[in-house]
Amino acid sequence: MAAVVEVEVGGPLEHDLEEVDLSHLGPEERWRVEHAQMHAKHRGHEAMHAEMVLILIATLVVAQLLLVQWKQRHPRSYNMVTLFQMWVVPLYFTVKLHWWRFLVIWVVFSAITAFVTFRATRKPLVQTTPRLVYKWFLLIYKISYAAGIVGYMAVMFTLFGLNVLFRIKPEDGMDFGISLLFYGLYYGVLERDFAEVCADYMASTIGFYSASGMPTKHLSDSVCAVCGQPIFVDVSEEGILENTYRLSCNHVFHEFCIRGWCIVGKKQTCPYCKEKVDLKRMFSNPWERPHVMYGQLLDWLRYLVAWQPVIVGLVQGINYVLGLE
């Protein structure tokens, strides 16, 4: 059968390819026939394909320029729309492709995050809310970080053939690794965006932080500007439950709060005076620095997840209007 397929693929009769019964072919022969059918269908359309590629490149360039300008001129609206895109776009593909496991996890995550976000945006702010918010998003951050690492390792093990040591099929090992990698990256990005919104609302409500302008309250050395609660442990002392951390601008915070502000809330400035935070000094432990790098990776992937499907859909719409298939 393989010999017959090779003759048909190399022959000039395109209608013979359409009449081939694929049900009796193996995976490799079936792929060859389908590949040949695709080439036969698009033969003679080289000029149209070149035009479609030009449209794709032009759309990507223009869209990137517009997004950059939007982000620079109106960062708040850009971040909110991007967050909505991150949250909704995968849901469309989930329902369309029947990924029920992802849908269940998405619903649970969305329900808890909606409750936490609701608590973070209430006025007056409950004293326990900042800790609740940072604990929840820090938990999701750590889970997504672990899932991403395990998924990446599973993919690498499969590529190097180490899956045979555990008697795991290559396709199963690759599916497991890619799924974990996707979960880790997606929820990692989503978590950081929601955490940033909550951090802004809470800090503004407390009054020691303002995204634009001066704070509405004066900060004393005995109060944490992130959560608004008193600081009982001196910077030079070792705390029983939690330590106190002093930034280079001499403002002091609960260590948990300032780490949540920087890692989870994506802030690299002092919550009070907006002086830039030296992350290398704050995370002097080499085991903590990968968390900062992982956060930067999530920021880079936001464009791919949130806006790439929209741009691809726009390109398809342009091709449809111009009659290009």
Side-chain angles (χ1 to χ4, degrees):
M1 178 63 71
V4 175
V5 172
E6 290 177 2
V7 172
E8 291 174 342
V9 171
L13 300 178
E14 297 181 7
H15 64 277
D16 291 343
L17 292 173
E18 300 178 357
E19 297 176 356
V20 175
D21 188 4
L22 301 179
S23 60
H24 299 291
L25 301 179
E28 184 176 354
E29 289 81 7
R30 182 182 304 174
W31 179 85
R32 290 179 181 177
V33 174
E34 291 176 347
H35 194 66
Q37 288 176 340
M38 182 186 68
H39 278 281
K41 178 180 179 181
H42 294 280
R43 185 174 296 130
H45 298 164
E46 288 78 7
M48 182 179 68
H49 293 164
E51 186 177 353
M52 294 173 67
V53 171
L54 291 176
I55 292 175
L56 174 62
I57 296 175
T59 305
L60 288 174
V61 172
V62 173
Q64 184 65 28
L65 293 176
L66 292 177
L67 290 175
V68 170
Q69 290 296 318
W70 183 12
K71 184 177 181 179
Q72 292 178 349
R73 297 174 182 271
H74 306 283
R76 184 176 180 84
S77 62
Y78 172 83
N79 292 333
M80 294 301 295
V81 173
T82 301
L83 176 58
F84 181 77
Q85 291 282 106
M86 287 287 305
W87 189 47
V88 172
V89 169
L91 181 63
Y92 167 77
F93 294 101
T94 297
V95 176
K96 182 178 181 180
L97 301 175
H98 303 144
W99 293 344
W100 306 125
R101 179 178 56 190
F102 178 86
L103 182 60
V104 171
I105 297 176
W106 185 91
V107 170
V108 173
F109 171 84
S110 299
I112 300 177
T113 300
F115 170 75
V116 172
T117 305
F118 175 80
R119 289 281 301 272
T121 54
R122 296 305 92 194
K123 294 182 178 180
L125 191 69
V126 181
Q127 293 182 354
T128 57
T129 297
R131 293 280 177 145
L132 171 66
V133 171
Y134 286 125
K135 284 181 179 179
W136 165 246
F137 287 120
L138 185 61
L139 174 63
I140 299 300
Y141 178 86
K142 291 181 177 180
I143 293 176
S144 66
Y145 181 76
I149 293 297
V150 174
Y152 176 78
M153 293 178 61
V155 171
M156 290 295 101
F157 272 42
T158 305
L159 291 177
F160 286 106
L162 299 179
N163 56 291
V164 297
L165 300 177
F166 304 96
R167 297 182 179 180
I168 300 177
K169 296 180 180 179
E171 55 270 21
D172 294 338
M174 190 63 69
D175 289 344
F176 174 77
I178 293 177
S179 298
L180 271 185
L181 195 59
F182 171 75
Y183 280 111
L185 295 177
Y186 173 71
Y187 286 105
V189 173
L190 204 59
E191 160 270 326
R192 284 172 63 82
D193 283 352
F194 272 109
E196 183 179 19
V197 173
C198 292
D200 282 341
Y201 268 103
M202 291 188 302
S204 299
T205 301
I206 293 172
F208 296 116
Y209 170 81
S210 176
S212 59
M214 296 297 293
T216 58
K217 293 183 180 179
H218 175 71
L219 178 67
S220 65
D221 292 340
S222 60
V223 176
C224 175
V226 177
C227 65
Q229 299 304 305
I231 296 176
F232 298 104
V233 181
D234 191 76
V235 176
S236 59
E237 297 178 357
E238 185 71 22
I240 299 177
L241 298 178
E242 185 177 25
N243 294 326
T244 302
Y245 190 89
R246 184 188 299 274
L247 295 180
S248 58
C249 58
N250 290 325
H251 293 128
V252 293
F253 308 91
H254 296 123
E255 187 176 21
F256 177 84
C257 292
I258 194 61
R259 286 173 179 264
W261 174 266
C262 292
I263 292 183
V264 181
K266 297 196 307 179
K267 306 296 185 181
Q268 295 186 15
T269 58
C270 172
Y272 183 69
C273 68
K274 298 183 179 64
E275 181 176 319
K276 187 171 180 60
V277 175
D278 186 2
L279 295 179
K280 293 182 179 180
R281 175 174 169 267
M282 177 178 292
F283 305 106
S284 57
N285 189 336
W287 292 105
E288 294 178 333
R289 293 183 182 179
H291 289 280
V292 180
M293 296 174 60
Y294 179 67
Q296 294 173 347
L297 172 64
L298 296 180
D299 293 337
W300 295 336
L301 291 174
R302 183 176 294 102
Y303 167 79
L304 181 63
V305 177
W307 293 108
Q308 198 67 20
V310 177
I311 295 175
V312 171
L314 179 62
V315 171
Q316 292 179 345
I318 295 175
N319 291 335
Y320 177 79
V321 171
L322 297 179
L324 304 176
E325 296 182 0

